[in-house]
Amino acid sequence: MRTGGSLPARPRRAVGVAIVHALPGRYRLADPRLRRAPERAEAARLALLGVPGVTQASASAVTGTALVRCAASVTASRLRAVLGAALGDPPRARSLSAAARAQPCEEPHAWHAMPAEAAAAALGCAPKRGLPPAEAAARLAAGGPNLLARTEGRSATAIFAEQLTSVPVALLGASAVVSIATGGLADAVAIGAVVLLNAGIATATERSAERTIRGLSEVTPAPVPAMRGGKRMLLPVAALVPGDLILLEPGILVPADARLIAATDLTVNESALTGESLPVTKDAAARVPVEAPLGERHGMVFRGTGVTGGSGLAIVTATGAATEIGRIQALLGAVRPPQTPIERQLGEVGRELMLVNGVICAAVGGIGLLRGQPWPEMLRSAISLAVAAVPEGLPAVATTTLALGIQDMRHRQILVRRLDAVETLGAVEVVCLDKTGTLTANRMATAALHLDGTLLAPAMFAGAHRGVAAALLETATLCSDVEEAADGLAGSPTETALVRAAQELGLDLARLRACWPREKAVSRAEGRKRMTTLHRGRGGALLAMKGDPAEVLALCTKRLTMSGEATLDAKAREAIMAANDRMAGQALRVLGVARRQGGGDPQDEEGLTWLGLAGLADPLRPGAAAAIHALHVAGIRTMMITGDQSATAYAIAKELGLPRDGEVRVLEAGALRDLPPEALAALAPQADVFARVSPSNKLQIVRALQASGRIVAMTGDGINDGPALRAAEIGIAMGGAGTDVAREVADIVLATDDLGGLIDAIELGRATYANIRKVLRYLVGTNASETMVMLGAAIVGLPAPLTPMQLLWLNLVSDPLPALALGLEAPEPDVLEQLPHDPRAPILSPTDFRRLLREGAVIGGAALASTFGAPPAATFHGLTLAQLAHAFLCRSETHGLFDRDGPPMNARLVGAIGICLALQAAAQGVGPLRRLLGLGPLGPAGFAATAATALVPLAVNGIISAASQRRRQQERPNA
Ligand code: ADP
Ligand code: MG
């Protein structure tokens, strides 16, 4: 992509943009160049959205028109010019300098090494007004939208081809060749049909899985604040072009690479790009050598990083694939996503089974030969047995089932961003929960003030202590970023709570701000739990401070009483801290407020006058306590993480029922800092609550829990939570309140702030894992039964009980449909009452394998027994039906077939079995099929034998597994 760049030469056309109709605030424009050019139409739409005052725009490549809704101030000629520019009209002379026009940007500029002004000039951006909309439109047409490349999925033909090159297919091919060589042309044709049918089914399921997976990482970013034509507006991220002026505010995700031209206390979290977990301070004046690494380019901001504090103004230098993160993606683009742990495990299981089966097949063939059977027949049996017994596509089973799980979650408003997140969800052992906003509603209210030794409820703020109360609330209001918005107050809940209390006392926010204009501010930061602002008004200078009570109090030397200022002696300090503890013990967030009249530098925060304590109440989110309880029942530890002090955290934990055994263990994060990692790993898992946590502590806590061997999920509201969310096995961004930053790094995005979504996600994660186990139990068990029949017969010296064609049929009829349906089982009612699976152990334990083989042996044994006396067709039908019946047993590991509280009915499974039964009836009833399969007549005795062969194994296996169900309920599923 070009950085700005020359416009492509397009022939000038006689027909240009026409206005089809114009109503105030609504225009329809037409241009033939839009026709049959969807990409140009999209560029036109984005360009029109970039005109200040435009609220909606659409452009159609079918009709060749564009529809715009806008403010009355937007003129038709302006829209015409912009649309024309977007469609390649040569630029008219515009206000840009010649230097800006030229932009010979074939090779990337070293924007970070230039002064900001030079960069602005080179990019043709007026540092106050931003780009004119028409110029932006032209650049968009030339350089393309600001989008990152999407990874291409495999095509249907590629997937199909992959199916045809698998080992089972190669075996089938060999078997077909042998058939033809020995005169069995019909067999060869049938084998070909089986191969194609199987590959077709597999392609269809894998393709839909792939579509789901490709959609995973897509989160539409929110529009970003920018300047165009001298007006501030919200621009879609895709509409940004080099030279655009963007505004940086806390919580936004930087939408493109950009050169800073102004920055005030701007800090950015660049962990996505550099791995550095602490925010980096940016500086518009910074110029670094051309070869400086990304992490040191302090005059630049980069796409994909998050603004954590302060504000800034920057000029876009690169968009889309030309951004640093775009280039990294381009490097990674060709790489297929790594297999998830389950996919890897299943691949391994498949290979092992293949090996074992190979040996068995060779044995069957060898024994047959030794007994003097003709070798072509033995060869064919051995190969067909191999085909039938190899559970093909085991990794695909995992992929498909995981993808189905993801779709299920999407229906419940849970957005999963990585395939392996589904299986990890099922294994979560610890959930770290943000207190504010996740467990509490983050709707704060000032519930108490402590002034001059007295604790006051809101009704008493206007009483005798009014003077001190007003001083406190006034100071807190000045020391805040709250703004008046159309629908009340806009700002953080903590600050709005204080300002609202001030307003209720009759203070006028606008007047107060006008009297005391803010000159400087120092915000909260890592290791600094207070905010300070410096104001200068007619009455001189004023330093206002609010924050953690202990921190603020330590900087005070005087205190305000009802009768004026007094010294702050040790006794008064003690009384204040005692009041703080009492308020915190009532689950209030407590802030200390202080001021210094007469100014000075806010860096120099000393000699302040203590005004008092403010206690803010934040109601628990309805359902939070229930959600915590549900997590505990599910065998998952919960940990609450908060920046508040221990006493507040303790009180809220009590209300939530956070401890499992009645005793809340609170750990102060400050104590963690100096601990060696091993001590931390031993200590962290003991805690129920982490108090006074800073963003970098969060990362430390996640790491410590992981070091102790636990699978950790972590919720976050974003701005500074990025590194911790990324480090946790499962990072969860909570719905409405979450920032773009959080959404970008999270593995799971919940649509609502409701913790119920998290429980749902864990339930579905576990159910998906259980479903993969169910499919495995079915596939491995039934395939084993076929091997056992053939091996048993060979050992005993019987003729082969099943013909190659019958084995193929068995595999085609009894394997795929029920397996797919088992992968779609709804969660069992008690998944959330069991323990999470052990992520460190394989999905099938040795015990599991023994069980699967035993179940296969029972089914195979019954089929083998039926060969004594019953007509040969009964063995074939009996074995098929026994396998289908086995599918029902595979539905639950903890409940028997007839348990009332067993899994809910699965209509898909019933349907799948129905289809299989119909096919099986056709095998006997339709002449050509019957001949192909070499089936003789069945007769009443045959019916009876078939029924017995089908049902006896079900009963036997059912009884055996019932014996172990109780125990399984109390163990990890894969123990
Ligand atoms: P949490 O992670 O639980 O939301 P925060 O990090 O937001 O906690 O806040 C932690 C502490 O920082 C609070 O207990 C309070 O002492 C202080 N604090 C919070 N908001 C402000 C603010 N706007 N101004 C000053 N101090 C604040
Ligand atoms: Mg917070």
Side-chain angles (χ1 to χ4, degrees):
M1 213 195 84
R2 286 144 300 230
T3 319
S6 51
L7 299 167
R10 285 214 188 91
R12 188 187 279 274
R13 301 218 188 177
V15 238
V17 180
I19 308 277
V20 180
H21 69 237
L23 294 169
R26 195 182 155 167
Y27 293 94
R28 189 180 284 281
L29 308 135
D31 190 301
R33 286 170 292 183
L34 282 172
R35 283 245 168 82
R36 284 190 293 280
E39 277 179 23
R40 233 180 276 161
E42 175 62 8
R45 184 182 74 86
L46 290 173
L48 290 168
L49 279 174
V51 178
V54 170
T55 51
Q56 266 178 43
S58 63
S60 160
V62 178
T63 60
T65 62
L67 186 67
V68 175
R69 284 172 195 279
C70 54
S73 59
V74 178
T75 63
S77 64
R78 178 140 217 208
L79 294 175
R80 243 165 102 171
V82 169
L83 184 55
L87 295 174
D89 277 353
R92 286 176 294 140
R94 275 191 290 266
S95 55
L96 294 180
S97 67
R101 275 257 70 84
Q103 287 178 49
C105 298
E106 283 312 303
E107 41 193 80
H109 272 78
W111 303 108
H112 52 279
M114 290 187 190
E117 306 75 47
L123 287 161
C125 174
K128 288 226 166 60
R129 302 182 53 81
L131 289 178
E135 173 65 21
R139 291 187 186 187
L140 188 64
N146 179 27
L147 295 172
L148 293 180
R150 275 197 278 162
T151 43
E152 291 295 320
R154 292 177 296 159
S155 68
T157 27
I159 299 178
F160 195 72
E162 235 166 80
Q163 306 299 331
L164 293 183
T165 51
S166 62
V167 174
V169 171
L171 284 173
L172 278 168
S175 150
V177 170
V178 174
S179 292
I180 294 172
T182 55
L185 193 61
D187 282 13
V189 171
I191 290 170
V194 167
V195 169
L196 291 181
L197 206 65
N198 249 323
I201 295 179
T203 306
T205 47
E206 281 191 34
R207 230 176 106 71
S208 101
E210 187 130 335
R211 254 199 302 274
T212 309
I213 295 163
R214 225 172 330 136
L216 292 186
S217 50
E218 284 167 24
V219 183
T220 320
V224 289
M227 296 290 289
R228 282 254 177 108
K231 297 231 168 60
R232 187 195 150 111
M233 59 191 304
L234 286 176
L235 269 182
V237 168
L240 289 175
V241 296
D244 257 327
L245 193 58
I246 52 174
L247 284 74
L248 304 173
E249 295 163 357
I252 76 162
L253 202 61
V254 178
D257 291 0
R259 177 71 170 94
L260 284 171
I261 56 171
T264 318
D265 299 328
L266 182 68
T267 53
V268 175
N269 190 313
E270 295 191 327
S271 61
L273 218 50
T274 61
E276 167 60 54
S277 64
L278 286 180
V280 188
T281 304
K282 294 289 181 175
D283 175 8
R287 281 174 65 189
V288 293
V290 174
E291 64 283 356
L294 283 186
E296 286 167 21
R297 300 185 182 176
H298 297 311
M300 300 281 298
V301 288
F302 298 102
R303 178 170 182 147
T305 61
V307 179
T308 54
S311 61
L313 210 56
I315 300 179
V316 173
T317 56
T319 59
T323 58
E324 294 297 335
I325 202 155
R327 279 189 234 180
I328 295 173
Q329 269 203 351
L331 288 180
L332 299 177
V335 183
R336 252 181 91 180
Q339 285 193 315
T340 76
I342 291 192
E343 286 175 316
R344 245 191 333 270
Q345 278 181 24
L346 292 197
E348 219 161 273
V349 171
R351 274 189 296 280
E352 278 165 17
L353 287 179
M354 203 119 66
L355 211 71
V356 173
N357 276 314
V359 172
I360 293 179
C361 294
V364 170
I367 295 173
L369 283 182
L370 285 182
R371 292 189 190 273
Q373 315 254 19
W375 72 265
E377 196 182 303
M378 267 352 287
L379 189 59
R380 260 164 61 200
S381 299
I383 292 177
S384 330
L385 179 56
V387 170
V390 168
E392 55 269 14
L394 280 187
V397 166
T399 318
T400 317
T401 314
L402 291 173
L404 291 170
I406 286 178
Q407 277 168 8
D408 239 354
M409 295 203 192
R410 204 168 288 171
H411 291 147
R412 295 209 215 169
Q413 311 260 324
I414 302 161
L415 191 67
V416 181
R417 311 230 6 250
R418 274 188 5 236
L419 188 61
D420 58 346
V422 182
E423 63 183 85
T424 316
L425 261 176
V428 165
E429 295 167 300
V430 182
V431 178
C432 295
L433 298 154
D434 243 5
K435 181 196 69 122
T436 316
T438 304
L439 295 173
T440 64
N442 208 6
R443 268 187 281 111
M444 310 237 184
T446 308
L449 293 179
H450 179 263
L451 309 164
D452 192 11
T454 318
L455 189 63
L456 305 175
M460 294 148 69
F461 293 174
H465 288 78
R466 184 181 183 116
V468 188
L472 184 150
L473 291 172
E474 207 177 275
T475 308
T477 301
L478 283 173
C479 183
S480 82
D481 297 316
V482 173
E483 303 203 20
E484 262 167 320
D487 52 350
L489 296 172
S492 82
T494 303
E495 296 189 342
T496 45
L498 291 165
V499 174
R500 219 175 307 117
Q503 287 176 327
E504 275 157 22
L505 211 60
L507 289 173
D508 183 336
L509 179 59
R511 259 233 318 277
L512 190 64
R513 288 260 168 87
C515 288
W516 295 99
R518 190 198 277 191
E519 200 163 73
K520 205 163 177 292
V522 186
S523 36
R524 292 191 297 146
E526 182 73 33
R528 186 190 145 90
K529 288 197 193 61
R530 60 181 190 274
M531 172 172 173
T532 316
T533 53
L534 181 65
H535 306 263
R536 207 169 292 276
R538 269 196 302 272
L542 173 71
L543 190 76
M545 181 187 290
K546 70 179 190 330
D548 180 70
E551 240 181 82
V552 175
L553 188 60
L555 300 169
C556 293
T557 48
K558 296 189 278 289
R559 65 190 178 101
L560 189 68
T561 68
M562 284 164 71
S563 48
E565 290 199 352
T567 53
L568 187 63
D569 52 20
K571 230 178 94 207
R573 280 179 203 274
E574 248 169 54
I576 289 168
M577 285 323 283
N580 169 50
D581 290 346
R582 247 191 342 272
M583 289 162 79
Q586 289 158 18
L588 298 178
R589 159 173 286 195
V590 192
L591 294 184
V593 184
R595 71 178 179 199
R596 184 178 68 206
Q597 278 157 331
D601 185 359
Q603 310 295 2
D604 156 36
E605 302 166 310
E606 282 170 354
L608 276 76
T609 301
W610 176 259
L611 299 175
L613 294 164
L616 309 178
D618 185 6
L620 286 188
R621 206 174 257 295
I628 296 273
H629 180 71
L631 287 171
H632 291 171
V633 170
I636 297 172
R637 286 266 288 151
T638 53
M639 295 188 185
M640 178 172 106
I641 296 192
T642 177
D644 282 338
Q645 40 184 332
S646 306
T648 311
Y650 181 88
I652 290 180
K654 275 281 185 203
E655 279 180 39
L656 278 169
L658 198 57
R660 298 143 309 147
D661 43 22
E663 198 41 57
V664 194
R665 279 148 301 197
V666 183
L667 216 60
E668 286 230 358
L672 303 182
R673 213 179 318 263
D674 305 319
L675 281 180
E678 313 81 60
L680 197 55
L683 195 60
Q686 310 295 323
D688 299 298
V689 175
F690 291 94
R692 295 177 140 253
V693 170
S694 71
S696 73
N697 290 146
K698 280 196 184 177
L699 185 60
Q700 224 184 346
I701 292 167
V702 170
R703 292 257 162 83
L705 291 171
Q706 287 171 329
S708 72
R710 286 165 171 80
I711 300 286
V712 183
M714 165 115 194
T715 68
D717 56 6
I719 302 184
N720 257 322
D721 295 342
L725 287 182
R726 208 186 285 272
E729 274 84 3
I730 297 280
I732 303 160
M734 302 293 290
T739 54
D740 263 7
V741 181
R743 267 193 282 275
E744 187 64 26
V745 299
D747 303 301
I748 295 200
V749 182
L750 301 180
T752 60
D753 283 332
D754 184 3
L755 268 182
L758 173 60
I759 313 271
D760 282 353
I762 291 177
E763 180 182 19
L764 285 174
R766 288 187 177 187
T768 306
Y769 184 86
N771 285 353
I772 294 176
R773 281 176 57 86
K774 289 171 194 178
V775 175
L776 284 179
R777 182 178 177 191
Y778 178 72
L779 284 180
V780 177
T782 56
N783 281 320
S785 72
E786 292 157 28
T787 318
M788 306 240 187
V789 178
M790 299 297 282
L791 183 63
I795 292 174
V796 183
L798 294 171
L802 298 164
T803 67
M805 196 53 69
Q806 289 172 349
L807 279 170
L808 284 180
W809 171 274
L810 253 174
N811 226 31
L812 183 69
V813 168
S814 70
D815 271 6
L817 284 182
L820 268 179
L822 277 174
L824 285 165
E825 285 274 319
E828 287 183 55
D830 57 356
V831 267
L832 284 180
E833 289 157 31
Q834 293 164 12
L835 293 174
H837 72 258
D838 183 353
R840 292 157 291 264
I843 184 163
L844 293 179
S845 67
T847 321
D848 290 324
F849 266 113
R850 275 197 296 278
R851 183 172 54 133
L852 298 194
L853 291 185
R854 188 188 63 224
E855 288 176 349
V858 170
I859 298 172
L864 195 61
S866 76
T867 60
F868 296 97
T875 304
F876 169 62
H877 290 301
L879 181 57
T880 314
L881 297 186
Q883 295 192 352
L884 295 179
H886 189 54
F888 288 100
L889 203 61
C890 295
R891 295 186 63 212
S892 177
E893 301 188 35
T894 48
H895 293 283
L897 277 182
F898 303 107
D899 272 10
R900 275 179 181 215
D901 48 357
M905 141 117 173
N906 178 354
R908 292 193 191 89
L909 183 62
V910 175
I913 303 284
I915 294 174
C916 294
L917 287 178
L919 286 169
Q920 197 63 23
Q924 186 68 35
V926 179
L929 259 186
R930 188 171 59 231
R931 275 189 293 283
L932 184 70
L933 288 164
L935 294 173
L938 207 49
F943 263 114
T946 301
T949 311
L951 295 177
V952 169
L954 182 64
V956 173
N957 282 331
I959 290 167
I960 296 178
S961 58
S964 65
Q965 270 153 13
R966 266 228 160 283
R967 182 179 54 77
R968 297 202 67 85
Q969 234 156 11
Q970 282 129 33
E971 275 178 358
R972 287 173 178 263
N974 59 338

